[in-house]
Amino acid sequence: MNEPKKQLHLNLFILSTGHHEASWRHPDAQPQLATSLDYYQQLAKTAERGKMDSIFLAEKYRLTPLIKYRVIPQLEAFTLLSAIAAVTEHIGLTATASTTYNEPYHIARKFASLDHISGGRTGWNIVTSTGDATAHNFSKEHHLDHKVRYERGKEFVEVVKRLWAGWSENSLLVDKQSGIYADVSRIKGAEFAGEFFSVKGALNIPRSPQTHPVLVQAGSSEDGKQFAAELAEVIFTAQNTMEEAIAFYTDVKSRLKQFGRSEDKLKILPGFIPFVGDTEAEAKAKERELNKLAVSEYGIRSLSDLLKINLFQYPLDGPVPLEDLPSIDEIQGQKARFQLYVDLARRENLTIRELIIRTAGGRGHFTFAGTAVQIADEMERWLVNGAADGFNLMPALLPGGLDDFVNKVIPELQKRGIYRTEYTGSTLREHLGLTLEHELVTRS
């Protein structure tokens, strides 16, 4: 009897007009819809038609000067996902919320509300944020040190989990005859006192359908990997080659044992930017078309910010000045992305212009241009070789890139028996094949 095939998981990362930095300049793009509710609802409906596990909205708490060259504004995630929940039935709804610039009680309450509103379809992408520019919007002079951010983040998550777990399943009696609505003996306060937070009371919202949303972590630094191995159920990561992805996958999965967790408790989803064509030549032409629309000044400013060096002082067609870059230990934010760019430039001996082009489509995530069959081949190759449990889909151009993927690639994946043809569960955790881990809700 044949073993059932490993199933591929797909999350749609929605970003305005698409993940290519020049997507808004494409003739088919509609940048004026970047704050349109109907636009995002339609994208979510398309992803649901494609039977995807979830959609994901990133959140940043600052406005970058790069808005001069790119569509950056996006509606606030909790508000938008609540509106999307009303027009969808199955697809998960994942939002970013920072542990550096929020309070645990606020985040616990917002996610519990969204989980109730959506019937148990919520995921929390846990980030610690980056950059002094963000700190300046929250009455702080400097962003927290990298290690301190993760220590604070771990404590933050513990408080939030305590708040979610404070309501037992049978806390609500709703006994009209006796006049007793809730059994207060079954509602526990967080009773937490730590280095960064002190939270005493109970959450003022009953236990949500999933008890707590699926916990997602985005980041590949050493601290990030350890954080994910202990706490996360899904990782969004950036790996540029299958070989790098296998090394990351093996590393993170091996760390789970030290926390008493099995490998199936954590799904690893690298970012993936597909260009779909009826022929390989057509797909590559789509990629070239977007690359030609990229503005060099945007790319130089973006790279300068990430690499912490002023690249305007170097020739655009000269080599990336690797010898002048700071060490990884000096980087306070996006350590993993910094290292990814450095490794890519060194491995392929790229010029500054070439590195801009290589990362224009998805900031260092894996990019592939081909037919539906070729793309499905590549995705299956990553799946069966232990490089991924699925992908964080990042279409270069929206909505067209998503339409192409759902209409052409999804049927090919389904035909191979590695992707669902129908939803079989009602919650995001069920879509992902995860169960609520006892240690995630146990209270001491």
Side-chain angles (χ1 to χ4, degrees), residues 426-439:
S426 60
T427 69
L428 175 54
R429 189 167 281 106
E430 288 172 332
H431 297 343
L432 290 163
L434 296 167
T435 56
L436 189 64
E437 294 179 72
H438 181 67
E439 64 266 29

Side-chain angles (χ1 to χ4, degrees), residues 217-365:
Q217 186 266 351
S220 305
S221 67
E222 190 62 27
D223 287 331
K225 287 187 287 189
Q226 197 68 4
F227 185 92
E230 181 175 0
L231 299 172
E233 296 170 279
V234 175
I235 297 180
F236 294 154
T237 182
Q239 308 298 331
N240 200 252
T241 67
M242 191 180 81
E243 290 69 31
E244 291 172 348
I246 290 173
F248 178 86
Y249 187 98
T250 303
D251 179 10
V252 174
K253 293 274 188 173
S254 69
R255 297 174 188 237
L256 293 168
K257 284 184 180 179
Q258 64 186 284
F259 301 108
R261 305 178 67 196
S262 58
E263 292 189 6
D264 62 344
K265 299 299 183 183
L266 178 65
K267 305 298 182 184
I268 298 179
L269 309 182
F272 179 42
I273 301 95
F275 289 87
V276 187
D278 291 332
T279 65
E280 183 178 349
E282 180 188 324
K284 292 186 181 299
K286 288 181 178 182
E287 184 177 19
R288 285 196 302 272
E289 181 182 17
L290 279 173
N291 285 339
K292 287 179 181 178
L293 295 174
V295 178
S296 293
E297 187 173 351
Y298 171 90
I300 296 172
R301 287 184 181 276
S302 182
L303 279 181
S304 295
D305 184 56
L306 180 71
L307 298 177
K308 306 304 178 188
I309 189 172
N310 179 13
L311 291 175
F312 283 99
Q313 63 185 311
Y314 298 91
L316 184 59
D317 290 308
V320 176
L322 297 172
E323 66 283 354
D324 295 340
L325 298 182
S327 70
I328 188 69
D329 293 335
E330 297 175 81
I331 302 299
Q332 287 301 311
Q334 294 188 293
K335 284 178 178 283
R337 192 60 53 88
F338 172 89
Q339 194 63 55
L340 186 152
Y341 276 46
V342 169
D343 290 345
L344 178 61
R346 179 177 289 117
R347 183 174 62 246
E348 301 187 15
N349 195 28
L350 298 178
T351 64
I352 294 174
R353 187 194 301 275
E354 289 169 337
L355 183 57
I356 290 171
I357 293 172
R358 284 296 310 276
T359 57
R363 304 172 302 285
H365 289 275

Side-chain angles (χ1 to χ4, degrees), residues 1 26 32 42 61 67 72 98 146 194 196 216 218 239 272 274 337 339 357 375 399 405 414 424-425:
M1 191 170 179
H26 192 278
Q32 69 276 15
Q42 292 305 315
Y61 304 146
I67 192 174
I72 291 175
S98 172
H146 189 270
F196 302 96
V216 183
Q239 308 298 331
F272 179 42
R337 192 60 53 88
Q339 194 63 55
I357 293 172
I375 290 171
F405 188 88
Q414 291 170 330
T424 56

